[in-house]
Amino acid sequence: MLVPVSWLREIVALPDSVTSREIAERLVRAGLEVETVDEVGADVSGPLVVGRVLSYETETHSNGKTIRWCQVDVGEGQPRGIVCGAHNFAVGDLVVVALPGTVLPGGFKITARRTYGHISDGMICSERELGIGDDHAGILVLAPGEGTPGEDAPQILKLRDDVLDIAVTPDRGYTMSMRGVAREVATAFDLPFVDPVTDTLREPADSGYPVRVEDPVGCPSFAAVTVVGVDPSAVSPRWLKRRLQLAGMRPISLGVDVTNYVMLELGQPIHGYDRALLRGPIVVRRAEPGEKLQTLDGVTRVLDPDDIVITDDSGPIGLAGVMGGATTELSDRTTDIVVEAAYWDPMTIARTSRRHKLSTEASKRFERGVDSQLQGFAARRVAELLVELGGGRIEEGSTLVGVMPDREPVRIPANHAGRVAGYDIPVERSVRRLEDVGCRVSVADGTLTVVPPSWRPDLRDPNDFAEEVIRLEGYEAVPSVLPVAPPGRGLTPDQRLRRLVGRVLAGAGYTEVLAYPFVGPADFDRMRVPADDPRRRAARIANPLSEEEPLLRTTLLPGLLATARRNVGRGMTDLALFEMGAVFLPKDGAPAAPRLPVDHRPSDDEVAALDAALPDQPRRVAVLLCGERQASGWWGQGRQASWADAVAAARLVADAAGVALELRAADYAPWHPGRCAACYVDGRLVGHAGELHPKVVEAYGLPARASAMELDLSLLGMRTSPVRAPRVSPYPPAKEDVALIVKSDVSAADVEAALREGAGELLESVRLFDVYTGAQLEPGTKSLAFALRFRAPDRTLTDAEVGAAKRAAVEEAARRTGAVQRGA
Amino acid sequence: MPTNHDSSALTDSKLSEDSPLHPDRVNRMRDEAIAAITAAKDLEELRAARLAHAGDRSPLALANRQIGQLPPEERKDAGMRLGAARRAVSEALAARQSQLAAEHEARILREETVDVTLPWDIEPRGARHPLTTIQERISDVFVAMGWEVVEGPEVEAEWLNFDALNIPPDHPARTTMDTFFLEPEHAGVVLRTHTSPGQARTMLSRKPPIYIVCPGRTYRTDELDATHTPVFHQVEGLVVDEGITMAHLKGTLDHFAQEMFGSGIKTRLRPSYFPFTEPSAELDLQCFVCRGASVGNPDRPCRTCSSEGWIEWGGCGVVNPRVLIACGVDTEKYSGFAFGMGLERTLMFRHGIEDMRDMVEGDVRFTQAFGWEA
């Protein structure tokens, strides 16, 4: 809502000393979002005056252009000679002259300059040059008597004004009117408010234009007044046009301008019909399926049965509350006007506006709810203004179909506002503040009985009234008191684990990314995910930002891969990235979420039904590595990231959770079929780690051997019982190395497990320290060298004991994995 | 070097001057030994000197063997004399040994000097995203007061995201213009547009008193640009307890602001509208950089608050009793307050981030600047 301050001052008797900025500040404190205070015309300065054209000579120049060489009286005794390119004026006309030294909008400086063989001593201005309109076909000609030569033109043109731009919140529809804003200003400055609405005119009537409302729910009130004999050549006076302009609307014609003016003034949108074009009575009803209407913007719209239409015998002539139709539009031939002021159901208008993607000044007001008792008065006000400005007369009789009743009184405890605010607000203050906003209030037995005004549909609940009192008393009056919470339980184990994992990975050199969860089929293709893989059954967004990425991620890897690609593209090729976040796994055959009521708590079953409609949303952690894991430098060659780093990252996460990770070779996209470990905890598959498939690496343009890991944190589990402390033996260890030859496809983990099992409880640790394949071995075999460390808790081991344990270990490895001790 | 050997000279010795046990000979052997030890320049030479003057075949050792051949009455004196000389040599050796060893060690250490300013960036530096660490930081502020941290699902039932929060079915926010809907479109499932459904879930699942913060990811259908992102983060707070008022809201926000931006920082509430709170307010934070000193002072402009003195931070209010009713809270007994703010925006003014995309794209240069804690 754009509010010209001069208009505001006309309604509220603000002292001259109050600046526009002060008005804005007070309104902000009262809850109106004044976004800017625009000093319109502040960029115009210098001698901009009224002039009278005394004479002119028409000259045609060699460039084919015809100009007028004018003598203009600007109140200086001597006329000034001015060259003008326009031809829409006559001798004796009053015009606006920018004398040398004037600065026009846009920083346009006027000087005396030589042009077309004359010294042009100023400029005769068009509306556009003055910044008060679009018209540039000719210069602006003032009406006779609008001014005298030499008079300050900005004053006459109302060029300068301050305009408040107020962003209207959904609950404050009444501030989409001068009436509503003025009420707030009067309250904010503690000045009397004189309501421009002086009468309600709420008597039902049917003596005007015939109107039948078939849908009283959609249209509870419809007023019509007819004006006849309006001079079709009458134009809007300058003050009216200027106010419309400052309020952001374009002046069109007297008829249209007056309806818009009253809408701005009172907040009630008005529609005018050319009576000569109406066919039979006006009927208000819901649209029929497939019915069409050409609206004033020239668009032919197919109507929905939920839309309300205004019709006559010819069919729809207006889309109710949103936009009128083309067939009955006011024109420069209109003399008889049927003025409509109606109350439309806000929800219906909101839906219609949205459905037709048509948001208008009218629909914005009806959506929020206009004053439900203003229709008769507003129609009458328009009619009176039309007659005042355009002649003619108001026809006898009027129409008012449907009258909205008074609001029901609401009873609230007298101290309610104070109890909500947290400080004592005397009852009389509450009453006064509620009266300020237009409520009728009576007090009895500690209870306020409040009848909210017809223009405040937002005031329904006790807290709505409390807010009015508290905001007008000033939010700054509310004290600051820190509430004391009962003892809390701190972070949950799951929250602690996620913090720990984040820190551990950052400590291990990984950088966190937070990728969008939007993916598309192309991601799965690039990742070589098979066609029947469940990961492709992703939840789909009905209205995605990009048609390429309509799905919600079922794995964190696409986001990491895309982020890695972006970094590589920017020259960062050595990367270690991690992400922690939810993936979305739709449940097969999930039901729709029920639409539950809001007037009571839903049952536990109903809440469970909401959850049943949602996908599973487990949290995962994933890493992606490429380039050097350890940098090359003055110390020598670095080390490329490999599958083993990805596995190490999985171990870091498992360690953070305090669970043991078990690895098995796996073939799972997007990993390299020979370099992928499936990760298990207690036999549960929790994720994968390893080197990415070379084709995947290529598809994302990453350095060769890029590796990745992804674990499901919710499946990982967490150590729940305290760690059992080990007994630390003070006796010396016995160290034994053993090299075992096994077939190439035997896993080191299996051999190690066999050694552990066989060696028994004297074994303290076992560590693989070498893997050898080559000429000294048979093809298809490899040698695994392990360092075994034995120790007893209570004694120094004898050679015989150590020898026996080692033999048992080797024998178990031989039994389970076919291992042969090398050199034995 | 000990020099007390003269006092041990026996004046009435009957020993021949040729005897190795004669005091003069003993003194000479001792002096030669000490001279050699003193002259040793390094541990190698000292080893040679030890062998020559204190070894089994050194003159003093050989002399010692001859004590047995002396008449018994002379053995004691000769033994004492020789013993004193050998002790003196041994002490000299030990002293020189430790001196040379120390010099040796010092030289080795000197030779091992390195340029400690050489870069050692062999291990990559990791970092956590500032959006993560600010969530933790905020959570910690509230956990310290006994509040708990609640997170709900990002894909959420429409009823919890809207209806339960007094956002009726025809509310403009509930269109595809603002909200992502999951298919099928009438399944009633959306990407949550705020973290408030987590609050509704909490009220549905437990009895007051409730003191919670809900940090997390939220979604709206904005295209990514310098100031918008379709995927963003919020933190919201909710208190439901007996006798909760706007004053408690104000006290909590003041405390929160001070914990995040420095002691003495104030907050300001401006009346506003949200469906889920009534009364509602916009929350402004006093500029933590200029603390208002830039207002009307062109000589000291403030980029953080655009010289306005206040920074728009979030929204808040008294929980609308309609929300409490939908979530099964007894409004006769309990009232509550709630607040919420965008974390991207918070980071932008807290750290001078000028482009939203920097927080979204995952460029490691951006994130690594924040290290482990923002």
Side-chain angles (χ1 to χ4, degrees):
Chain A
M1 174 77 185
L2 295 174
V3 177
V5 172
S6 62
W7 195 350
L8 204 51
R9 287 180 186 273
E10 193 179 281
I11 307 174
V12 185
L14 285 162
D16 290 342
S17 59
V18 173
T19 65
S20 298
R21 299 222 154 263
E22 282 165 350
I23 297 171
E25 267 170 41
R26 294 273 183 109
L27 287 178
V28 166
R29 256 188 275 162
L32 272 60
E33 281 181 40
V34 183
E35 296 192 321
T36 55
V37 180
D38 188 9
E39 295 174 359
V40 174
D43 53 350
V44 175
S45 63
L48 184 65
V49 300
V50 175
R52 186 183 303 281
V53 180
L54 300 177
S55 67
Y56 62 81
E57 291 160 33
T58 305
E59 300 176 359
T60 303
H61 284 263
S62 53
N63 64 358
K65 198 161 177 203
T66 302
I67 57 104
R68 287 177 175 182
W69 169 237
C70 312
Q71 297 303 311
V72 185
D73 172 12
V74 292
E76 296 174 324
Q78 285 294 312
R80 296 215 184 199
I82 299 173
V83 172
C84 182
H87 307 101
N88 65 324
F89 59 94
V91 168
D93 276 354
L94 287 176
V95 295
V96 177
V97 181
L99 296 174
T102 302
V103 180
L104 293 178
F108 181 24
K109 289 190 184 67
I110 304 301
T111 54
R113 61 190 188 103
R114 173 167 289 278
T115 179
Y116 293 107
H118 303 282
I119 300 285
S120 184
D121 205 7
M123 186 179 84
I124 305 178
C125 304
S126 71
E127 282 190 6
R128 195 163 84 191
E129 284 157 345
L130 292 167
I132 58 170
D134 300 330
D135 193 356
H136 195 52
I139 52 110
L140 169 62
V141 179
L142 300 177
E146 253 194 291
T148 53
E151 212 181 321
D152 186 40
Q155 190 75 32
I156 293 166
L157 298 174
K158 305 186 189 310
L159 208 57
R160 298 200 183 95
D161 207 338
D162 293 341
V163 177
L164 312 180
D165 185 356
I166 302 177
V168 178
T169 51
D171 61 330
R172 299 202 181 280
Y174 68 99
T175 62
M176 295 186 86
S177 69
M178 294 305 302
R179 178 195 187 201
V181 175
R183 184 188 303 278
E184 290 290 341
V185 170
T187 305
F189 285 91
D190 211 4
L191 293 168
F193 173 68
V194 181
D195 195 339
V197 176
T198 49
D199 192 351
T200 47
L201 297 176
R202 291 175 63 209
E203 284 307 306
D206 58 4
S207 53
Y209 197 88
V211 172
R212 193 167 78 240
V213 174
E214 292 185 350
D215 186 345
V217 174
C219 179
S221 183
F222 191 112
V225 176
T226 306
V227 181
V228 294
V230 176
D231 175 4
S233 67
V235 293
S236 304
R238 187 170 311 287
W239 63 266
L240 195 154
K241 284 204 264 189
R242 186 60 182 153
R243 278 189 176 170
L244 291 180
Q245 279 173 345
L246 291 170
M249 303 195 78
R250 213 157 56 87
I252 293 168
S253 64
L254 178 65
V256 175
D257 292 351
V258 167
T259 59
N260 284 335
Y261 182 81
V262 173
M263 174 181 74
L264 293 172
E265 183 184 46
L266 304 180
Q268 167 69 49
I270 311 281
H271 189 71
Y273 300 89
D274 186 334
R275 195 174 71 174
L277 301 174
L278 281 172
R279 300 281 168 265
I282 287 175
V283 176
V284 175
R285 58 168 168 82
R286 299 277 167 168
E288 281 156 20
E291 213 166 13
K292 286 185 183 146
L293 168 68
Q294 189 186 12
T295 40
L296 283 172
D297 54 1
V299 178
T300 300
R301 299 172 188 276
V302 179
L303 304 174
D304 185 277
D306 183 49
D307 294 332
I308 306 174
V309 284
I310 299 117
T311 66
D312 65 4
D313 291 348
S314 70
I317 55 170
L319 187 55
V322 180
M323 193 177 269
T327 57
T328 56
E329 186 176 1
L330 302 183
S331 72
D332 53 9
R333 292 182 304 279
T334 305
T335 56
D336 301 347
I337 300 173
V338 176
V339 177
E340 164 213 299
Y343 183 96
W344 306 106
D345 171 53
M347 286 300 171
T348 306
I349 302 308
R351 284 195 299 267
T352 293
S353 164
R354 222 176 290 148
R355 191 178 301 122
H356 294 285
K357 296 186 170 52
L358 189 58
S359 178
T360 61
E361 291 294 328
S363 71
K364 283 182 213 164
R365 287 174 173 82
F366 285 124
E367 271 180 31
R368 289 174 162 88
V370 299
D371 186 335
S372 59
Q373 299 181 347
L374 195 58
Q375 288 65 43
F377 180 85
R380 176 69 52 174
R381 166 91 175 123
V382 169
E384 283 168 358
L385 257 185
L386 275 173
V387 170
E388 183 186 328
L389 302 173
R393 61 179 175 83
I394 298 174
E395 214 177 46
E396 280 295 309
S398 63
T399 302
L400 181 57
V401 181
V403 174
M404 300 269 285
D406 269 348
R407 300 280 307 276
E408 287 296 315
V410 180
R411 263 167 274 280
I412 48 180
N415 62 353
H416 186 66
R419 269 171 48 193
V420 171
Y423 74 105
D424 187 44
I425 300 176
V427 176
E428 55 274 25
R429 294 301 295 176
S430 290
V431 171
R432 150 93 196 275
R433 289 315 188 182
L434 291 173
E435 286 171 349
D436 281 343
V437 302
C439 296
R440 278 180 284 135
V441 189
S442 58
V443 192
D445 301 333
T447 299
L448 303 184
T449 302
V450 188
V451 179
S454 52
W455 58 87
R456 292 296 302 267
D458 60 305
L459 298 182
R460 295 183 298 173
D461 298 345
N463 274 30
D464 299 335
F465 297 96
E467 180 181 76
E468 295 303 302
V469 174
I470 299 166
R471 78 176 173 94
L472 293 177
E473 288 295 296
Y475 275 9
E476 63 276 7
V478 175
S480 177
V481 179
L482 193 59
V484 178
R489 287 168 297 185
L491 297 178
T492 64
D494 179 55
Q495 288 163 349
R496 286 206 307 273
L497 173 64
R498 272 183 277 136
R499 285 192 178 194
L500 187 57
V501 168
R503 286 182 183 153
V504 162
L505 288 175
Y510 289 87
T511 299
E512 186 175 22
V513 305
L514 296 168
Y516 286 177
F518 307 131
V519 299
D523 288 293
F524 295 121
D525 295 343
R526 274 193 291 271
M527 282 169 52
R528 302 172 67 84
V529 173
D532 58 348
D533 190 291
R535 281 174 289 178
R536 284 187 183 261
R537 287 204 301 278
R540 183 176 289 268
I541 299 172
N543 54 328
L545 282 183
S546 159
E547 293 300 332
E548 317 275 279
E549 297 182 329
L551 307 178
L552 288 178
R553 65 188 179 192
T554 52
T555 153
L556 298 179
L557 295 180
L560 277 175
L561 285 162
T563 306
R565 174 169 54 189
R566 182 176 298 125
N567 275 285
V568 167
R570 293 178 181 182
M572 280 76 70
T573 50
D574 300 330
L575 295 171
L577 306 177
F578 82 97
E579 175 161 16
M580 245 188 297
V583 297
F584 307 91
L585 311 176
K587 292 180 225 161
D588 283 334
R595 300 285 157 97
L596 303 175
V598 293
D599 57 352
H600 62 269
R601 183 195 187 281
S603 69
D604 288 346
D605 285 348
E606 286 171 324
V607 175
L610 294 175
D611 280 330
L614 304 180
D616 285 329
Q617 300 173 56
R619 285 180 199 274
R620 292 196 178 167
V621 60
V623 307
L624 187 127
L625 302 114
C626 61
E628 286 187 332
R629 174 67 171 137
Q630 288 187 320
S632 300
W634 55 266
W635 52 83
Q637 195 60 39
R639 188 175 65 72
Q640 293 291 310
S642 79
W643 63 271
D645 292 299
V647 172
R651 288 207 187 283
L652 280 177
V653 174
D655 286 349
V659 298
L661 210 58
E662 212 183 304
L663 302 174
R664 294 178 209 162
D667 179 358
Y668 188 67
W671 280 277
H672 185 307
R675 297 186 172 188
C676 173
C679 305
Y680 291 83
V681 172
D682 293 336
R684 280 193 309 281
L685 179 65
V686 297
H688 294 83
E691 184 180 315
L692 292 170
H693 194 291
K695 284 279 196 302
V696 174
V697 175
E698 193 188 314
Y700 282 95
L702 302 181
R705 306 284 175 209
S707 299
M709 169 283 274
E710 181 171 24
L711 294 182
D712 192 318
L713 287 169
S714 63
L715 292 176
L716 199 59
M718 243 180 292
R719 179 178 44 228
T720 48
S721 54
V723 172
R724 294 293 303 172
R727 283 179 63 195
V728 178
S729 166
Y731 295 91
K735 299 173 191 171
E736 291 283 340
D737 290 349
V738 57
L740 299 173
I741 298 169
V742 292
K743 290 215 167 59
S744 297
D745 59 356
V746 172
S747 77
D750 287 346
V751 179
E752 187 187 308
L755 287 171
R756 278 187 194 283
E757 192 71 21
E761 59 186 15
L762 292 180
L763 184 74
E764 183 177 80
S765 68
V766 54
R767 180 165 185 275
L768 177 76
F769 67 90
D770 192 29
V771 179
Y772 175 78
T773 54
Q776 294 172 34
L777 294 179
E778 274 182 46
T781 67
K782 62 184 173 185
S783 167
L784 303 174
F786 293 92
L788 309 179
R789 185 186 273 258
F790 297 94
R791 196 171 346 224
D794 54 352
R795 65 191 189 280
T796 302
L797 291 174
T798 65
D799 288 351
E801 284 176 303
V802 173
K806 176 183 167 183
R807 264 195 310 283
V810 171
E811 279 164 15
E812 186 63 17
R815 196 178 67 75
R816 287 204 205 173
T817 68
V820 176
Q821 194 172 359
R822 202 175 169 196
Chain B
M1 189 72 41
T3 53
N4 59 347
H5 43 84
D6 284 344
S7 65
S8 68
L10 298 174
T11 53
D12 56 348
S13 171
K14 298 177 184 84
L15 289 168
S16 130
E17 290 196 355
D18 294 337
S19 164
L21 295 169
H22 185 276
D24 289 351
R25 290 280 301 276
V26 170
N27 286 348
R28 196 156 60 245
M29 284 187 283
R30 181 199 64 202
D31 292 347
E32 283 169 0
I34 288 171
I37 288 163
T38 307
K41 288 195 293 296
D42 55 30
L43 290 169
E44 197 55 39
E45 286 185 20
L46 187 63
R47 198 171 299 121
R50 181 195 302 277
L51 208 62
H53 297 284
D56 289 348
R57 309 196 60 79
S58 63
L60 282 168
L62 296 175
N64 194 48
R65 292 186 196 163
Q66 297 189 12
I67 288 177
Q69 294 163 21
L70 290 181
E73 68 277 15
E74 295 191 9
R75 284 182 198 163
K76 188 180 170 201
D77 282 351
M80 285 174 63
R81 199 157 48 239
L82 207 56
R86 295 181 76 182
R87 263 195 313 281
V89 169
S90 165
E91 280 165 11
L93 266 176
R96 188 64 179 150
Q97 170 75 32
S98 82
Q99 188 182 22
L100 288 175
E103 281 173 15
H104 176 73
E105 191 178 72
R107 193 179 66 248
I108 297 281
L109 292 175
R110 206 159 48 241
E111 286 168 3
E112 287 177 351
T113 298
V114 296
D115 177 358
V116 296
T117 68
L118 282 174
W120 185 259
D121 47 3
I122 186 165
E123 304 288 350
R125 292 182 61 204
R128 296 198 306 150
H129 200 284
L131 281 168
T132 303
T133 51
I134 198 163
Q135 288 179 62
E136 293 180 3
R137 195 184 183 93
I138 291 170
S139 297
D140 288 346
V141 170
F142 288 97
V143 167
M145 293 194 290
W147 297 34
E148 291 177 8
V149 180
V150 167
E151 298 150 303
E154 292 170 28
V155 172
E156 186 56 282
E158 245 190 294
W159 190 84
L160 283 159
N161 193 75
F162 292 125
D163 302 73
L165 301 167
N166 193 35
I167 306 173
D170 281 309
H171 192 277
R174 294 183 66 161
T175 67
T176 53
M177 297 293 290
D178 292 296
T179 303
F180 288 113
F181 288 81
L182 259 57
E183 283 190 353
E185 211 168 327
H186 299 290
V189 178
V190 297
L191 283 170
R192 66 177 178 190
T193 58
H194 42 194
T195 52
S196 317
Q199 308 183 353
R201 284 176 173 277
T202 304
M203 287 188 274
L204 285 167
S205 65
R206 60 163 114 151
K207 294 239 169 297
I210 290 169
Y211 289 77
I212 56 166
V213 276
C214 308
R217 225 175 197 206
T218 49
Y219 301 83
R220 282 178 207 174
T221 57
D222 291 317
E223 296 279 353
L224 175 65
D225 64 24
T227 53
H228 298 86
T229 163
V231 182
F232 57 104
H233 297 75
Q234 281 191 336
V235 65
E236 296 189 323
L238 170 74
V239 167
V240 179
D241 203 345
E242 288 181 49
I244 289 296
T245 69
M246 258 182 108
H248 293 128
L249 167 64
K250 222 171 180 182
T252 301
L253 293 171
D254 282 338
H255 176 75
F256 181 29
Q258 297 198 21
E259 289 295 307
M260 293 296 289
F261 296 99
S263 71
I265 290 293
K266 295 184 179 69
T267 62
R268 179 177 76 175
L269 302 185
R270 277 182 290 122
S272 188
Y273 172 78
F274 306 107
F276 28 85
T277 48
E278 186 75 29
S280 302
E282 296 283 350
L283 164 64
D284 293 338
L285 176 73
Q286 187 186 30
C287 180
F288 56 95
V289 175
C290 72
R291 297 201 177 210
S294 68
V295 180
N297 186 353
D299 298 337
R300 272 195 62 186
C302 179
R303 288 177 58 186
T304 303
C305 65
S306 307
S307 301
E308 304 219 333
W310 296 92
I311 303 166
E312 287 184 23
W313 196 19
C316 59
V318 171
V319 179
N320 193 318
R322 287 172 185 260
V323 174
L324 299 179
I325 288 165
C327 295
V329 175
D330 178 359
T331 54
E332 293 295 311
K333 191 168 175 195
Y334 297 107
S335 55
F337 68 76
F339 60 86
M341 50 274 301
L343 296 181
E344 276 80 0
R345 187 178 150 65
T346 305
L347 282 181
M348 283 176 103
F349 65 69
R350 188 165 183 258
H351 298 275
I353 300 167
E354 287 176 3
D355 196 317
M356 186 72 84
R357 286 169 287 217
D358 289 338
M359 282 178 281
V360 166
E361 289 177 340
D363 191 310
V364 294
R365 292 169 299 172
F366 174 81
T367 308
Q368 282 173 356
F370 290 89
W372 282 37
E373 299 288 343

